[in-house]
Amino acid sequence: MGGYAAYIWPSYGFTALVLVALLISAWRTMRVRESEVERLRGLGADPRRRDGTSKDAV
Amino acid sequence: MHRFANPTRFLRLANAVLPWLGGLTAILFGVGLYQALVISPADYQQGETVRIMYVHVPAAWAALAGYASLAIASFTFLVWRHPLADLAARAASPIGAGFTAIALVTGALWGQPMWGTWWVWDARLTSVLILFFLYLGHMALVNAFDDSDRGGRAGAVLALVGVVNLPIIKFSVDWWNTLHQPASVLRMGGPKIAGEMMTPLMMMAGAYFALFGVLMILRIRSLLAARRLRQLRLAVQEI
Amino acid sequence: MGRFWAIMSRDLTLARRQGADLAMTVSFFVVVVVLFPLGLGPTPGQLAEIAPAVLWVTALLAAMLSFDRLFQQDSEDGGLDQLALSGLPLSVVALAKALAHWLTTGLPMIVLAPVLAITLNLDGDAYWALILGFILGTPIVSLFGTVGAALVVGARRAGVLVALIVLPLTIPVLIFGTLAIDAAANGLSIRVHLLMLAAILAAAIPLAPMAAGAALRQALE
């Protein structure tokens, strides 16, 4: 790397670190929340199933 | 616009797109990195350090594009009251902050060997730092209210106020004398950059933007789930 | 126009009655500036060098202390709804509030800054740049702060939040304000820097109240 490895690899490393962290955190938050939604719906707490008039259809 | 404002329709579309976009991201990163680190030549002036460009420049573009999409989503939310636009704005700011952080850190790592300093307080670097602070302020503001809708609206107004910063960032290298080199791709009179460097740069830019899309879908899905959770918790309490 | 002055004079009366609030902001400015010579030790050259930055940064921080209260009380006691119903555009309400804020915090700081500059051994040629810079810069800070204050109405930890939002926006003011003083101390022209401040002020006078008005409208919904 022409003597500049000490600058080039940290830039690629930092970039990878941030991008992977963004991806993992977005993925995990989504999985945790969606499985919690499933769990609560299993408890029969779905307002749509009870009255069928919920405005917010997800 | 209204067709996409419906969360069910959005989810169906987003889930159909997600695997393809994810695959595209992986391919573009694979090819782009190979081109950037192996195929592309060293610059005749900057030597091997030019390889930092392939992670730095697309990050800066994505940081700006992220703010533009944050502002567009905020505008849409304020004017048409699409709930999905609010979620898009909330989803965009942490991603934009991440890209801005990459641009700032890789810029410092490029500046040290090229300019002999990690950081200069010139217009370009300062305005990008302000962009980073704007993202942080937006993230803090949208989450600072007990009523989440109020947070979304306040955040939208702040996002639009911060738009002033975008032209300053773009043109700071032309308006003020600075160490930062002027634009060489998005400039009047066409790009001024060698083809063998343009290809990896565009590959990496494509990879960043595809990843941006993937992250947006994931974050909007998790925000939709969070909203659903609030409703369900209320319903559970009623039972 | 009458209602504009009414809002402003109401805020001024409130500030006078609750004199402690105003005194606190101004005292904060004085106390923090005086901390620097004590912390640095009595090296005159060093002090004079950092004087512009100390004065401007401290003025910004002191202003930040006062913004979270700008609309908070009105929002809690329903006064904000009254103002919205007064028929006056909310942007004009915001402008009146910003003017009242500047008169109660900006103006005292303009008067105090040269006095404090003496304790920092500021270069004799730089006083005009300091005073003119403060005259042009403090209204900008009040206007930007009004936007921030309108955004955080009803937020948790509004005080910290308003500083986090507004301080980045005031960076240009800080830059040109200190550049003007530095230029004057080095015998250079201060015209460009003051013109930049004047340009920002000219843009902020119509735009900041519009943004603050929009933020207030969102807060009232």
Side-chain angles (χ1 to χ4, degrees):
Chain A
M1 281 290 153
Y4 291 117
Y7 301 105
I8 295 170
W9 292 118
S11 2
Y12 278 77
F14 183 80
T15 305
L17 191 75
V18 172
L19 295 183
V20 169
L22 278 172
L23 193 61
I24 289 178
S25 88
W27 181 259
R28 281 189 52 180
T29 319
M30 186 191 78
R31 288 305 292 267
V32 167
R33 285 181 186 167
E34 285 187 347
S35 65
E36 179 72 3
V37 167
E38 284 308 310
R39 193 182 69 82
L40 284 178
R41 285 174 79 164
L43 292 177
D46 191 339
R48 275 185 304 149
R49 279 188 214 158
R50 276 191 298 150
D51 55 28
T53 53
S54 173
K55 283 179 294 179
D56 190 69
V58 177
Chain B
M1 288 308 285
H2 278 282
R3 289 193 310 126
F4 301 106
N6 181 327
T8 318
R9 225 181 245 125
F10 166 79
L11 277 180
R12 206 183 306 140
L13 188 72
N15 290 340
V17 170
L18 189 59
W20 296 98
L21 203 56
L24 183 70
T25 311
I27 294 170
L28 281 172
F29 264 118
V31 179
L33 282 174
Y34 178 69
Q35 292 238 356
L37 288 170
V38 183
I39 305 268
S40 79
D43 189 70
Y44 75 98
Q45 265 184 334
Q46 311 207 356
E48 297 284 347
T49 60
V50 77
R51 298 194 195 283
I52 296 176
M53 175 179 78
Y54 305 123
V55 284
H56 170 76
V57 172
W61 287 345
L64 287 181
Y67 201 89
S69 37
L70 169 63
I72 291 167
S74 299
F75 184 78
T76 313
F77 177 56
L78 282 183
V79 176
W80 291 288
R81 288 299 149 96
H82 288 327
L84 210 55
D86 177 34
L87 298 187
R90 284 165 195 265
S93 56
I95 308 173
F99 283 121
T100 315
I102 293 174
L104 287 170
V105 170
T106 55
L109 285 162
W110 198 4
Q112 174 63 21
M114 283 301 102
W115 306 337
T117 174
W118 301 100
W119 185 267
V120 282
W121 288 101
D122 72 351
R124 169 58 74 85
L125 278 72
T126 309
S127 54
V128 174
L129 188 65
I130 294 176
L131 180 72
F132 185 63
F133 291 149
L134 280 171
Y135 276 128
L136 292 187
H138 183 264
M139 285 157 68
L141 186 62
V142 287
N143 293 316
F145 296 88
D146 294 325
D147 170 13
S148 98
D149 219 35
R150 163 88 181 97
R153 291 194 305 265
V157 175
L158 176 66
L160 291 179
V161 169
V163 170
V164 190
N165 195 26
L166 286 191
I168 299 180
I169 295 178
K170 176 75 185 85
F171 296 111
S172 52
V173 277
D174 304 323
W175 291 345
W176 284 284
N177 281 326
T178 164
L179 281 176
H180 197 287
Q181 54 184 307
S184 45
V185 178
L186 296 172
R187 62 189 281 281
M188 304 273 272
K192 198 182 73 182
I193 181 171
E196 58 266 42
M197 288 179 186
M198 194 68 166
T199 315
L201 183 60
M202 287 302 144
M203 287 276 181
M204 290 299 283
Y208 275 53
F209 280 98
L211 180 66
F212 199 123
V214 169
L215 288 170
M216 281 296 278
I217 291 175
L218 294 180
R219 291 189 54 87
I220 291 177
R221 259 178 72 175
S222 83
L223 286 164
L224 275 170
R227 204 171 67 177
R228 195 85 183 86
L229 268 184
R230 273 198 299 276
Q231 295 167 344
L232 286 170
R233 290 218 172 95
L234 282 175
V236 169
Q237 279 166 3
E238 278 168 26
I239 294 173
Chain C
M1 213 52 200
R3 278 170 296 181
F4 177 85
W5 296 118
I7 293 170
M8 205 191 73
S9 66
R10 170 176 164 275
D11 266 36
L12 292 179
T13 312
L14 281 174
R16 201 175 62 235
R17 299 247 171 91
Q18 305 165 337
D21 281 8
L22 171 61
M24 268 198 289
T25 308
V26 174
S27 322
F28 178 86
F29 181 53
V30 175
V31 170
V32 174
V33 169
V34 170
L35 285 181
F36 279 88
L38 299 175
L40 263 180
T43 324
Q46 232 174 2
L47 263 178
E49 224 166 86
I50 64 160
V54 169
L55 289 166
W56 264 107
V57 170
T58 313
L60 287 180
L61 293 180
M64 291 308 129
L65 292 181
S66 52
F67 285 129
D68 61 321
R69 301 181 48 81
L70 204 55
F71 294 109
Q72 200 72 36
Q73 224 164 5
D74 282 340
S75 150
E76 280 160 11
D77 64 13
L80 203 56
D81 300 277
Q82 301 277 335
L83 289 174
L85 292 172
S86 71
L88 210 58
L90 281 170
S91 52
V92 179
V93 173
L95 184 63
K97 286 276 193 179
L99 188 55
H101 178 270
W102 180 72
L103 288 172
T104 50
T105 58
L107 210 53
M109 285 199 281
I110 294 174
V111 176
L112 280 170
V115 182
L116 289 169
I118 298 171
T119 69
L120 297 174
N121 298 317
L122 186 72
D123 192 281
D125 297 326
Y127 280 85
W128 276 113
L130 171 68
I131 294 166
L132 289 173
F134 260 67
I135 288 174
L136 288 169
T138 49
I140 305 174
V141 176
S142 290
L143 285 162
F144 286 178
T146 308
V147 180
L151 283 171
V152 302
V153 171
R156 295 183 299 262
R157 303 185 60 80
V160 187
L161 194 56
V162 80
L164 183 64
I165 291 170
V166 176
L167 281 176
L169 298 176
T170 58
I171 287 176
V173 179
L174 174 67
I175 290 173
F176 293 114
T178 48
L179 277 179
I181 306 176
D182 281 335
N186 294 317
L188 301 169
S189 165
I190 60 174
R191 203 178 122 84
V192 180
H193 309 304
L194 292 180
L195 280 177
M196 284 301 289
L197 281 179
I200 298 173
L201 179 59
I205 286 175
L207 292 180
M210 271 168 57
L216 285 177
R217 218 164 8 257
Q218 307 304 331
L220 284 168
E221 271 182 32

